[in-house]
Amino acid sequence: MKVTLNIGSRDFRLVSQRADQSLQHHTLDVPAGIVKDGLITNIPAAAALLREYFQKHGLSSKEVSVCLTGLSFVYRILTLPVIKGIKLKTTIERAAQKEINLPLDELYLDWQIISQNKT
């Protein structure tokens, strides 16, 4: 039996193929704190979770192909009024949240001022 494992930040997705070529799809929800920002942060917990799931569903761990979902990026150019100080960071975060349909606490938000018109 061959197993393909995709490690995401919220779940582990598995596809197993038996000798008769039948495919089975599995999704295993991952508790918070095991994977963060595309990285496994608690290796023992992730290993135990997978070991238990493989045993429960009769999956073999001898031939497993693994994919760790990479970090992707999205960029936006925002036009904002001239703002200074700590209000600038808050304004950018609010504008980014309107533009990007992902929770900001799961993203690396980086920004820079490209130009300023003081009109």
Side-chain angles (χ1 to χ4, degrees):
M1 171 188 311
K2 295 179 182 178
V3 176
T4 302
L5 169 62
N6 182 343
I7 298 174
S9 59
R10 293 193 174 119
D11 59 21
F12 294 160
R13 296 180 186 180
L14 301 102
V15 176
S16 59
Q17 184 176 20
R18 301 199 181 275
D20 66 1
Q21 301 298 317
S22 65
L23 294 175
Q24 290 183 322
H25 301 271
H26 312 266
T27 300
L28 173 59
D29 292 327
V30 177
I34 292 180
V35 180
K36 179 154 176 59
D37 299 328
L39 302 172
I40 298 175
T41 56
N42 188 336
I43 293 171
L49 188 66
L50 286 169
R51 190 177 304 110
E52 179 183 330
Y53 195 82
F54 272 55
Q55 289 173 350
K56 179 179 177 182
H57 293 280
L59 301 173
S60 171
S61 60
K62 291 185 180 185
E63 289 187 57
V64 179
S65 299
V66 178
C67 170
L68 183 61
T69 303
L71 299 174
S72 58
F73 69 93
V74 174
Y75 71 90
R76 299 285 190 269
I77 296 176
L78 305 173
T79 302
L80 301 171
V82 176
I83 301 168
K84 296 192 182 242
I86 196 154
K87 289 184 179 181
L88 179 60
K89 180 179 185 275
T90 304
T91 302
I92 289 171
E93 288 174 350
R94 287 182 182 165
Q97 187 62 70
K98 288 180 182 179
E99 290 288 321
I100 302 169
N101 291 331
L102 297 168
L104 289 184
D105 63 344
E106 293 184 13
L107 304 174
Y108 293 110
L109 181 61
D110 187 35
W111 54 270
Q112 69 183 41
I113 297 173
I114 297 173
S115 67
Q116 281 186 328
N117 295 332
K118 297 180 182 180
T119 57

